[in-house]
């Protein structure tokens, strides 16, 4: 029996601060779980990080940390190439080509741009152009699937629009990708405020469950999570966003159905729910932390992985860029 060729997956994370359980459950866990089915390209998107001010030494450290966490979370180099975005100049070059076919109005409508720019006194051109760089990341690798959390859905839809527009204007050039969003864990909320998305950039204690937080810190944040006074265990994001968030985290970790989870927790109080969620989170993150800390003993290792990753993906990116250049009339 012949098997159809494997399709390509591409995704990435910004090296801006400490990765948290939302990044894991919304993205990396699913990458690792499905990696055998696809050719996978996972990027550390350092050029995206530059759209907001960064400390250079911290950025450099954070790039390595994200790469080590990818591996510690179970990405296997047999199935995945892991590389740093800025190591492949084709990303920036294709962004320019795509800029020239992307109407400004498409970018001004992006909700992340509106949210982020509202918080800044002055906004860089890069922040507005962010989704075009993301589109370049994706379509440079003939990507079929983009597994991300809910907050990136709009950006992947824009990527599709840009690819389709380019193909219509200049002939078939790019694969039009589809987004993959997990059923549970696609939008993990802050433990301190379950109406706001858990975010790397919020440093407040008790907000995020960071992948490298020690077990006692994780437990404390979960035990203190904001809930409500209804004293009812139900998947109700509107009336009970705090309880819903804890159940959603538990569901994404255990893979159980809502009915199974409700049966497990019905009759118990919020204290019991929090305790079980804390146990599940610690049991998931402890082995990841152990692998991370072992890997961090040898800083040369991750450099080698990133170099090999860039070498592996460069020909794919260069080939697609050349097709785009030819179709635009820049090359013969
Ligand atoms: P970033 O770095 O903000 O987030 C990385 C991944 O984590 C997911 N995520 C969440 N999932 C569930 N709950 C949350 N609270 C949560 N917070 C973040 C994100 O959806 C994402 O999957 N623009 C992207 C990076 C990027 C990219 C790409 C992604 C650049 N180029 C190409 C895919 C393909 C971003 O800022 O992700």
């Amino acid at each position: 029996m012949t098997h159809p060729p494997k399709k390509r997956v591409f995704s990435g994370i910004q090296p801006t601060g400490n990765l948290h359980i939302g990044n894991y459950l919304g993205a990396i866990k699913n990458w690792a779980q499905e990696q055998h089915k696809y050719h996978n390209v996972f990027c550390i998107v350092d050029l995206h990080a530059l759209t907001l001010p960064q400390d250079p030494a911290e950025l450099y450290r954070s790039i390595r940390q994200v790469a080590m966490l990818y591996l510690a979370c179970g990405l296997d180099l047999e199935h995945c190439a892991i590389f740093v975005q800025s190591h492949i100049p084709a990303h920036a070059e294709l962004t320019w080509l795509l800029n020239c076919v992307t109407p400004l109005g498409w970018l001004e409508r992006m909700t992340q741009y509106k949210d982020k720019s509202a918080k800044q006194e002055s906004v860089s051109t890069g922040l507005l152009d962010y989704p075009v760089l993301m589109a370049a990341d994706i379509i440079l690798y003939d990507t079929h699937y983009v597994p991300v959390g809910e907050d990136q859905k709009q950006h992947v839809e824009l990527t599709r629009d840009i690819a389709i527009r380019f193909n219509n204007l200049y002939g078939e050039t790019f694969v039009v990708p589809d987004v993959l969003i997990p059923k549970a864990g696609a939008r993990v909320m802050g433990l301190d405020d379950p109406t706001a998305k858990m975010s790397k950039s919020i440093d407040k204690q008790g907000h995020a469950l960071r992948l490298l937080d020690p077990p006692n810190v994780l437990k404390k944040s979960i035990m203190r999570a904001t809930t409500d006074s209804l004293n009812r265990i139900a998947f109700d994001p509107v009336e009970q966003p705090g309880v819903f968030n804890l159940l959603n985290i538990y569901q994404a970790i255990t893979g159980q159905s809502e009915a199974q989870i409700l049966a497990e927790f019905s009759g118990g109080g919020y204290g019991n729910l929090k305790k079980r969620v804390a146990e599940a989170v610690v049991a998931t993150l402890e082995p990841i932390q152990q692998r991370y800390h072992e890997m961090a003993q040898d800083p040369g290792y991750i450099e080698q992985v990133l170099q090999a990753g860039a070498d592996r993906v460069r020909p794919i990116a260069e080939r697609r860029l050349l097709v785009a250049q030819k179709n635009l009339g820049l090359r013969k």
Side-chain angles (χ1 to χ4, degrees):
M1 204 173 100
T2 57
H3 294 282
K6 282 186 181 174
K7 300 213 162 168
R8 184 121 55 217
V9 156
F10 182 99
S11 202
I13 294 187
Q14 289 192 74
T16 47
N18 295 299
L19 297 203
H20 53 66
I21 195 104
N23 302 126
Y24 179 69
L25 298 176
I28 312 173
K29 180 174 192 268
N30 310 299
W31 306 351
Q33 230 159 35
E34 305 286 302
Q35 62 186 323
H36 314 92
K37 295 191 197 160
Y38 305 110
H39 291 298
N40 304 279
V41 180
F42 295 120
C43 188
I44 297 110
V45 291
D46 56 347
L47 297 176
H48 278 104
L50 298 178
T51 57
L52 292 174
Q54 304 294 336
D55 173 67
E58 185 53 30
L59 178 61
Y60 189 86
R61 191 195 61 81
S62 187
I63 292 166
R64 272 88 201 147
Q65 186 179 77
V66 174
M68 288 195 286
L69 278 171
Y70 279 2
L71 293 173
C73 288
L75 296 188
D76 180 345
L77 294 171
E78 211 178 293
H79 302 289
C80 310
I82 296 175
F83 76 104
V84 180
Q85 185 185 34
S86 67
H87 294 182
I88 305 292
H91 290 246
E93 209 171 331
L94 181 61
T95 300
W96 181 257
L97 306 185
L98 299 180
N99 276 338
C100 298
V101 303
T102 305
L104 190 54
W106 289 8
L107 302 181
E108 287 168 336
R109 272 205 298 276
M110 292 291 108
T111 49
Q112 278 210 345
Y113 170 71
K114 288 197 257 181
D115 289 349
K116 287 186 186 176
S117 58
K119 292 183 198 141
Q120 301 292 313
E121 248 177 56
S122 105
V123 172
S124 71
T125 310
L127 190 67
L128 178 67
D129 204 29
Y130 179 114
V132 182
L133 177 58
M134 181 160 160
D137 295 342
I138 295 169
I139 63 181
L140 257 184
Y141 296 96
D142 310 338
T143 300
H144 299 94
Y145 299 117
V146 188
V148 284
E150 178 75 38
D151 62 342
Q152 297 302 316
K153 193 168 164 220
Q154 194 186 34
H155 287 157
V156 180
E157 280 162 5
L158 181 82
T159 300
R160 291 173 56 86
D161 290 341
I162 294 174
I164 291 169
R165 188 172 164 88
F166 192 104
N167 288 346
N168 286 340
L169 289 169
Y170 297 104
E172 226 28 55
T173 310
F174 298 114
V175 173
V176 180
D178 283 311
V179 70
L180 291 181
I181 308 242
K183 282 198 198 75
R187 188 173 175 81
V188 176
M189 310 305 276
L191 294 178
D192 56 338
D193 174 6
T195 62
K197 193 185 67 171
M198 188 179 284
S199 157
K200 285 189 225 111
S201 56
I202 299 178
D203 232 357
K204 212 165 87 204
Q205 267 303 327
H207 167 74
L209 297 170
R210 290 179 287 249
L211 300 188
L212 295 174
D213 276 345
N216 62 321
V217 174
L218 295 167
K219 280 186 195 146
K220 203 160 128 189
S221 303
I222 295 170
M223 296 313 289
R224 287 186 179 172
T226 301
T227 50
D228 54 62
S229 53
L230 296 176
N231 204 19
R232 182 178 69 131
I233 306 268
F235 282 85
D236 182 347
V238 180
E239 294 293 326
Q240 298 186 271
V243 171
F244 177 84
N245 194 34
L246 292 170
L247 291 170
N248 185 39
I249 292 172
Y250 193 74
Q251 187 178 20
I253 287 180
T254 62
Q256 295 181 56
S257 69
E258 288 191 10
Q260 280 171 317
I261 293 173
L262 290 178
E264 186 178 339
F265 290 114
S266 73
Y270 293 168
N272 176 56
L273 170 66
K274 288 176 171 178
K275 191 165 149 278
R276 298 298 305 281
V277 172
E279 283 164 3
V281 167
V282 169
T284 303
L285 296 189
E286 259 184 337
I288 292 174
Q289 296 181 355
Q290 206 174 345
R291 285 194 290 272
Y292 174 87
H293 292 302
E294 273 167 28
M295 216 181 307
Q297 302 283 316
D298 174 12
Y301 174 68
I302 202 66
E303 296 304 333
Q304 207 185 310
V305 167
L306 293 174
Q307 169 93 55
D311 290 344
R312 223 161 118 188
V313 301
R314 191 176 293 107
I316 311 171
E318 286 179 351
R319 200 179 319 126
R320 190 53 46 202
L321 177 64
L322 184 62
V323 175
Q325 289 168 329
K326 281 184 182 162
N327 290 353
L328 284 164
L330 302 177
R331 302 275 170 99
K332 266 254 183 287

